[in-house]
Amino acid sequence: MKEGKREIETNALSQCIQNRLGSSGIFFFSLGLHGFLILIATGITLFLVEKEKDITLTFKREAREEQYDPEIARWIFKTPRILANRIIEKPILIFEEEVEISRDITRGTSFDSLANKNINARSIIDAYGMGGKAAGVYGQRWGKGGVILCEGGSPGSCACCIGGCTGSLAHPEDEGRSAIFFLDSGENPFIDTSWDHLSTFAIDVDTASYTMARSYIEKGELPPKKSIRIEEFINYMNYEYTSPWSDVIAIHLEAAPSKFGREDAHKLMRVAVKGLEANMADRRNAVLTYVIDISGSMSSANRLPLVKKSLKLLLEQLTDGDKVGIIVYSDDAKVVTEPLPIAEREKLIKTIDSLETEGSTNVEAGLMLGYEMADRHFRKHAINRIILCSDGIANTGETSAEKILQKVKTYKEKGIYISTIGFGIDHNDDLMEKLADKADGVYAYIDTPDEATRLFVNNTMGIMGVLAKDMKVQVDFNPDVVDSYRLLGYENRKIADKDFRNDKVDAGEIGPGHSVTALYELKLHDDVAEGIVATVFVRYKDPEYQDEVKEIKQSFPLASIRETFEDASADFRLAAATAELAEVLKDSFFARESDLEPVVELTEYLAHEMYDREEVKELAGLVKKARNIRQKTMQKRVALERSEDNVSRIPRDKSAVIVGLPR
């Protein structure tokens, strides 16, 4: 009886187990099938999305001059690397072992997947390169997973392109409010002429970076490193270049040993362009549209009150035949007055004085209404220009410069120019600069009434008129004479070499009497005694002749290089000093061992030599202040480091005593 019952129970249990196994099998089979289908769908999607976004890199082993720490989330693309005794920007991966391979890598590919090519991901020390649409490709060490390639404007975009990247990849210097408003464009490396003997860029007459830095230094602070644009420091200064004789543009070249580079090995070459001078009496009539930010963030004394003073100064420079209209914006935009003739100057002044701050900042609405007004009152053969005055802190409506620029493209093509004038120490520099650079404009920053006078009284023609459009510079270095070169600044003004004579590519504008200066640091071949160092080409459109395209050139022979830096012109030495100040403030890789003491000495000498130049005297004082601030900052840093090193040796009852600090 018991045996029969046990047999029945055993059979029942067996049947139950079989049923459960059958159910589980079906379940797991179903789960596996669904997973397989999802993988196929994901693969197809990724294939379609990524197929056209392959990144081509050249992997190559190079000897390293010095060791550096491959920390997590390093800004690979924006930090130059020393390889084979020169700085390069070719796409390079550095390996611990000898490896050479070239292939296409899809965005988001981990280097672990390249093991079948005998590449050990753990052996990769560093990586960087260029992706499509000028986006950076960052090689990053990520925990134990080796290095991952990501495409985008910043290392933080890595989290968007591969599932393995999570968390914040913010750069340490991105802390604070300035991280929102300044865009770091990196710095140009030395380029070997055997790789690329052409250097091409759009001219830039902006000066905002210098005046912003001055504001910080006057307050006793060093400016944010990201705010430093070397070319804007250089071009803030007035240089006494000779005006052209037979054309609207003249080229001025000069070279000498580099005082702040390796003087025994490096030369400094100046490439300058000077525009034809013009008198106010000879200029065209102007139709100006003031677009004024009256949002709540403009309430401080150095914002809307300074805007009012500045624009009234500009009104005083206008003459019969000119007109001025006024748009204001906060939450939205509104027309205050349609363009009035300058004969009604008093009415315009009263209107400006009556403005008060309110609401948020809708830059898009203000600009669009301003362009619509400028379009309605557009006058052929006149100066049609928008004067945008703002802190640029857009927080309502469209806030992306790129999307705003798409909307104003037709107005730009019609011939409506823009001047973006920044106010306030923490204004949105990135937005204001992009609007000016891409919309045929000029970008300046006003921090004091004196700067307003310099811009709107002393430089009225330069800020209003356009002498040449879409101006590009191409320097063709002779590989037989020049080993390598480095352009100081203009990182965000680069143009592809092949596009120099593509007249559809947007470039920069220059006003009457304006000059543009660029500096190159050169390393020459040791065994060359004669020859052409470089030939400079300048190409532009002449608005006086229906945008007729013109091109001029000038060569610079080796024999014309000065024997010593001191033999160079005062303007040359002034440009060199200003550039070195910018490089030190930027904490440039190329100024990593520099301090400002030599710049102090040089600018003091130049202030005496160029005694009638107020901006040179100001520069000398500014460099001194920057040196003092920098020294105090470095002393504090050293004190902190020493206190951390010695904290374990400080007796418990004397923990307030800091050991080994400088007096």
Side-chain angles (χ1 to χ4, degrees):
M1 181 75 176
K2 290 182 180 179
E3 292 178 0
K5 184 177 180 181
R6 188 177 296 113
E7 183 178 352
I8 293 171
E9 288 175 350
T10 302
N11 291 337
L13 179 61
S14 176
Q15 184 65 40
C16 181
I17 292 171
Q18 289 177 9
N19 290 340
R20 287 181 179 274
L21 284 173
S23 176
S24 298
I26 294 171
F27 170 77
F28 285 116
F29 176 80
S30 176
L31 181 63
L33 179 61
H34 280 80
F36 180 71
L37 293 174
I38 290 171
L39 286 173
I40 292 175
T42 303
I44 293 172
T45 302
L46 289 174
F47 176 79
L48 293 175
V49 171
E50 302 294 338
K51 184 173 176 63
E52 295 183 357
K53 294 187 178 181
D54 283 359
I55 301 161
T56 302
L57 292 179
T58 301
F59 303 168
K60 180 179 179 183
R61 184 186 183 280
E62 291 272 2
R64 286 175 292 132
E65 183 180 273
E66 62 184 33
Q67 296 285 339
Y68 44 86
D69 180 27
E71 71 270 18
I72 295 175
R74 166 184 272 160
W75 277 25
I76 299 299
F77 177 65
K78 291 183 178 177
T79 305
R81 296 286 175 259
I82 295 184
L83 301 175
N85 297 318
R86 62 180 182 273
I87 303 300
I88 63 164
E89 66 175 3
K90 292 284 184 179
I92 294 288
L93 285 171
I94 312 168
F95 296 94
E96 291 176 349
E97 69 271 8
E98 185 76 32
V99 175
E100 285 199 19
I101 181 171
S102 181
R103 58 166 289 179
D104 287 345
I105 303 176
T106 305
R107 181 175 63 127
T109 298
S110 168
F111 285 105
D112 291 331
S113 66
L114 303 180
N116 61 334
K117 295 293 183 181
N118 299 316
I119 297 177
N120 180 1
R122 304 289 178 86
S123 71
I124 296 174
I125 299 173
D126 224 338
Y128 70 113
M130 284 294 291
K133 300 180 180 178
V137 179
Y138 299 83
Q140 300 172 351
R141 279 196 178 277
W142 188 261
K144 297 180 180 179
V147 180
I148 299 171
L149 271 186
C150 297
E151 179 183 87
S154 69
S157 63
C158 186
C160 304
C161 71
I162 185 164
C165 282
T166 57
S168 173
L169 287 176
H171 191 273
E173 292 178 5
D174 283 350
E175 298 175 1
R177 192 170 185 182
S178 64
I180 304 172
F181 300 133
F182 296 111
L183 178 67
D184 184 5
S185 298
E187 58 185 335
N188 293 322
F190 272 97
I191 305 296
D192 195 315
T193 54
S194 65
W195 286 342
D196 184 3
H197 58 90
L198 297 174
S199 174
T200 310
F201 63 94
I203 62 101
D204 187 357
V205 296
D206 298 345
T207 58
S209 181
Y210 177 87
T211 46
M212 278 189 294
R214 182 180 63 192
S215 294
Y216 277 98
I217 293 169
E218 293 292 350
K219 283 175 41 180
E221 302 175 20
L222 291 177
K225 296 171 186 177
K226 294 180 182 179
S227 72
I228 305 299
R229 292 183 291 275
I230 299 171
E231 69 276 13
E232 295 184 23
F233 272 61
I234 296 170
N235 286 317
Y236 182 87
M237 300 297 147
N238 294 315
Y239 303 107
E240 296 180 343
Y241 301 138
T242 305
S243 193
W245 289 73
S246 58
D247 207 334
V248 297
I249 298 297
I251 300 173
H252 295 276
L253 308 178
E254 188 174 2
S258 176
K259 181 178 179 63
F260 302 108
R262 289 181 54 194
E263 199 163 359
D264 60 331
H266 293 169
K267 308 297 181 186
L268 191 68
M269 178 177 175
R270 183 198 68 199
V271 176
V273 174
K274 171 70 174 179
L276 184 68
E277 300 281 356
N279 298 319
M280 283 292 289
D282 298 331
R283 72 162 172 83
R284 298 176 176 185
N285 292 332
V287 181
L288 303 183
T289 304
Y290 288 178
V291 178
I292 306 171
D293 181 354
I294 60 167
S295 63
S297 62
M298 292 289 289
S299 59
S300 60
N302 65 346
R303 300 198 183 196
L304 186 58
L306 187 54
V307 169
K308 294 178 180 181
K309 292 177 183 177
S310 302
L311 293 181
K312 287 188 288 185
L313 280 174
L314 181 55
L315 283 178
E316 294 299 325
Q317 310 310 309
L318 302 182
T319 57
D320 291 342
D322 297 334
K323 289 186 175 183
V324 175
I326 300 175
I327 300 283
V328 297
Y329 67 91
S330 53
D331 299 310
D332 207 343
K334 63 181 178 181
V335 176
V336 178
T337 178
E338 295 285 343
L340 297 174
I342 202 61
E344 298 187 52
R345 183 183 282 114
E346 291 304 316
K347 183 176 180 179
L348 289 166
I349 290 174
K350 288 180 180 179
T351 301
I352 292 171
D353 284 336
S354 69
L355 301 179
E356 296 182 357
T357 57
E358 60 180 21
S360 57
T361 310
N362 194 333
V363 175
E364 176 199 18
L367 266 182
M368 292 311 301
L369 194 58
Y371 272 108
E372 288 168 9
M373 175 186 280
D375 187 44
R376 284 197 307 273
H377 296 272
F378 183 86
R379 291 167 60 183
K380 200 173 182 180
H381 305 302
I383 297 170
N384 298 273
R385 183 174 288 272
I386 288 174
I387 309 291
L388 172 65
C389 297
S390 174
D391 59 13
I393 306 176
N395 50 30
T396 305
E398 183 55 67
T399 60
S400 164
E402 288 77 8
K403 292 182 180 178
I404 294 174
L405 286 164
Q406 289 174 3
K407 296 181 179 182
V408 305
K409 185 177 179 181
T410 55
Y411 300 114
K412 166 191 162 182
E413 292 171 349
K414 186 172 183 177
I416 300 173
Y417 299 94
I418 189 171
S419 296
T420 63
I421 315 298
F423 291 84
I425 194 69
D426 56 353
H427 77 286
N428 193 333
D429 171 73
D430 180 36
L431 176 68
M432 299 292 276
E433 191 210 12
K434 283 181 178 176
L435 289 175
D437 284 352
K438 302 301 182 183
D440 289 351
V442 177
Y443 170 42
Y445 172 76
I446 293 179
D447 57 343
T448 64
D450 286 343
E451 184 62 25
T453 300
R454 175 187 173 276
L455 190 67
F456 286 139
V457 177
N458 303 337
N459 191 34
T460 310
M461 282 298 296
I463 200 72
M464 285 176 52
V466 175
L467 184 69
K469 296 169 55 179
D470 290 333
M471 181 178 288
K472 308 168 206 167
V473 176
Q474 185 169 82
V475 183
D476 187 353
F477 290 102
N478 182 359
D480 294 332
V481 175
V482 179
D483 176 75
S484 57
Y485 62 88
R486 177 173 76 96
L487 173 61
L488 279 63
Y490 294 91
E491 285 85 1
N492 63 356
R493 305 294 283 166
K494 290 181 182 178
I495 291 178
D497 296 336
K498 63 182 178 59
D499 287 333
F500 177 68
R501 292 185 175 86
N502 181 355
D503 299 318
K504 294 181 181 179
V505 173
D506 184 61
E509 280 63 48
I510 188 171
H514 261 157
S515 65
V516 178
T517 301
L519 296 177
Y520 284 91
E521 199 166 28
L522 311 179
K523 183 178 180 181
L524 307 182
H525 291 298
D526 295 332
D527 55 349
V528 177
E530 60 181 16
I532 298 297
V533 175
T535 301
V536 177
F537 299 85
V538 177
R539 189 175 178 89
Y540 62 94
K541 296 173 184 174
D542 190 338
E544 289 289 334
Y545 294 93
Q546 291 77 47
D547 286 353
E548 177 186 353
V549 177
K550 297 182 179 179
E551 184 175 317
I552 58 176
K553 69 176 182 177
Q554 186 173 323
S555 295
F556 187 77
L558 185 63
S560 294
I561 298 178
R562 312 284 188 185
E563 287 293 326
T564 67
F565 178 80
E566 290 70 26
D567 290 335
S569 67
D571 279 340
F572 180 95
R573 287 176 280 134
L574 174 62
T578 311
E580 181 66 7
L581 169 63
E583 291 222 283
V584 172
L585 292 177
K586 188 181 177 71
D587 199 15
S588 166
F589 176 86
F590 302 97
R592 63 195 183 281
E593 297 177 357
S594 303
D595 60 55
L596 288 175
E597 196 59 44
V599 188
V600 169
E601 295 174 4
L602 177 56
T603 51
E604 284 182 338
Y605 184 87
L606 288 169
H608 176 74
E609 182 180 359
M610 308 165 83
Y611 60 90
D612 58 340
R613 305 268 286 275
E614 288 300 322
E615 79 274 14
V616 182
K617 295 177 184 177
E618 178 192 83
L619 176 66
L622 198 68
V623 175
K624 277 186 183 178
K625 291 178 182 177
R627 176 201 59 188
N628 295 339
I629 297 168
R630 204 163 172 269
Q631 286 176 346
K632 290 178 182 178
T633 303
M634 293 177 71
Q635 286 172 358
K636 289 179 181 178
R637 188 181 303 164
V638 170
L640 179 62
E641 290 173 353
R642 290 186 179 180
S643 65
E644 290 174 348
D645 289 342
N646 290 288
V647 69
S648 61
R649 288 178 282 174
I650 298 175
R652 193 174 186 83
D653 60 340
K654 295 182 179 180
S655 58
V657 179
I658 304 298
V659 179
L661 299 187
R663 293 185 180 184

